[in-house]
Amino acid sequence: MITLISNIKELIQVEDSPKKMVSGKEMKILPTIKNAFLLIENDIIKDFGNMKDFNNISVDNVVDASGRTVLPTWCDSHTHIVYAGNREQEFIDRINGLSYEEIANNGGGILNSAKKLQTTSEEDLYIQSAKRIEEIMQLGTGAVEIKSGYGLTKDAELKMLRVIKKLNSNYPITIKATFLGAHALPIEFKNNKSDYLDYVINEILPIVAKENLAEFIDIFCETGYFSVEDTEQLLKAGEKFGLIPKIHVNQFTAIGGVQIGVKYNALSVDHLEEMRAKDIDVLKNSKTMPVALPSCSYFLGIPYTPARKIIDTGLPLALATDYNPGSTPSGNMNFVVSTACIKMRLTPEEAINATTINGAYAMGLEKTHGSICRGKKANFILTKKIPSYGFIPYSFGNHQIDQVFIEGLKI
Ligand SMILES: [Zn+2]
C-alpha cells in the first residue's frame, strides 16, 4: 500500500543516506524541506522531496498536510517502562523533605519497585506496561529501549525481559531490551555485594543470553550502589555473551564510570549530571554516545547534565526520558525536548537531533530510525498547524502532535 503525505509545510530531519550520529556544531543544523511530500510504501519511506518535484504516480491514500509539519518519531533510548504499581507515596515523602537516598535507605526506591514486581504476575505486568507503551506511542515515540532491573531475582528479571519481548512482538514500536540485573542490591545480599554480582553473572546472565532476551547490558555505577570495579566485572562477563554496554553513570557522583564505559565500547553512557573535565575528554574519539535525561533532573530537582559543555566540546548528545516509577514517571519526549531547550540551553535543532538521529544511534537503530530517509521505517509525527518546529519546545507541557505513524500505520 502506498500513501502520499502531500503539501507538508515543512518536512524535518531529511537525509539522503543514513548518518551514524550528529556531533558538536553539526547539531545546530536540522535539514528540512519546505512545501514537501512524503511517500510511504507499507512500513518503509519510499521517497520525499519538494511538492513541485512530485511525479504523479498512483497511490492508495492521500493525507493532505497543509499548514502542518512532519518530523521523524522520537527515539527514546533509555527507559524502565516495565514496572509494577507506582511510587506515588515516595513522591509525597520527597515533597515533605526526604531525599532520594534517604527514601532508598528506608526500603523505598528500587527495592520497593522490586518487591511489587516480584509478586506481580507476568500477565498483569504485561497489561500495566502495555498501557505505558500505548501512551508513549500517542506522544510520538517510535522506538524505545526498556531495561530490566526491578526484578533482582532470576525469576523476576526473566519475567521482565519476557514482558519486554512480548511488547515488542505485539506493538509496531521498535523495542530494544537491556539486562539491568545490577540495578540495586537486594536486601538478602545487603552485606554481600560480590555474592549478588556473582549471582547476576553466573545465574541470570547466561539464561538472558541463551534465550536472547537482551541485546544490551547495564549497571547502576554509583556511590552506594555498584563501584567501577563491579562495573568492569559485569561488562567483562557481558562481553563474553556479546551483550553491549549501555550504563548508568555519573548521576550523583563522578567515580570513573564514563571511563569504564568507553573502555568496554559502551554504546552509550547515561545520566551524566556530574561531569568532570576528564569525563568529557574521554568521550572524544570514542563510539560511546553521551545520553542526558532532563526529565529526571526536573523531577528530582538535581542538576542538569552539562549538555552545552558536552556539545560545545564537539561531542554528540542524545536525550531520553528515563521513564520509571521512582525518578521519572513520564515518557513524554516532547517535554524532554522542551526541557533540554529551557534548562540546558539547547537550540530546538540540537534538541531534535538529540531525540531523533542520536537517540536512534544510542539503541543501534541509526540505519532504520531517527530520520526521514528513503528505506528507513515509515515512522513520523504529523503536527497540528504550528508556525514552525521551534513551537514544539516553546509550547512546553503541551504537545503539538495531530497524528503519529509507526511502521506506516496510523496510531
Ligand atoms: Zn535509568
Side-chain angles (χ1 to χ4, degrees), residues 101-117:
E101 274 168 314
E102 283 168 329
I103 290 166
N105 291 338
N106 291 344
I110 297 164
L111 295 182
N112 184 356
S113 290
K115 211 193 292 171
K116 270 190 199 132
L117 191 138

Side-chain angles (χ1 to χ4, degrees), residues 81-85 117 120-135 137 146 156 158-173 175:
I81 285 177
V82 171
Y83 61 83
L117 191 138
T120 301
S121 71
E122 191 169 320
E123 292 70 29
D124 193 11
L125 186 63
Y126 175 83
I127 292 166
Q128 293 189 37
S129 309
K131 269 191 200 143
R132 297 179 201 118
I133 286 289
E134 288 167 15
E135 176 195 10
M137 290 195 311
I146 310 177
L158 295 174
K159 176 165 67 182
M160 287 187 81
L161 290 167
R162 282 195 296 264
V163 166
I164 297 172
K165 196 173 188 174
K166 198 167 156 197
L167 290 167
N168 191 33
S169 38
N170 290 354
Y171 286 95
I173 184 171
I175 301 177

Side-chain angles (χ1 to χ4, degrees), residues 78-80 145 147 150 180 183 218 220 247-248 251 270-271 293 296 321-324 327-328:
H78 181 137
T79 81
H80 310 249
E145 179 258 17
K147 300 169 194 298
Y150 290 126
L180 175 56
H183 196 192
D218 193 353
F220 192 19
I247 58 175
H248 283 73
Q251 181 176 4
D270 301 27
H271 269 293
L293 309 164
C296 175
T321 60
D322 198 17
Y323 194 176
N324 77 80
S327 66
T328 322

Side-chain angles (χ1 to χ4, degrees), residues 391-407:
F391 203 78
I392 297 170
Y394 168 76
S395 59
F396 83 98
N398 297 327
H399 71 72
Q400 299 303 330
I401 296 171
D402 182 22
Q403 292 173 22
V404 179
F405 287 77
I406 299 179
E407 303 211 342

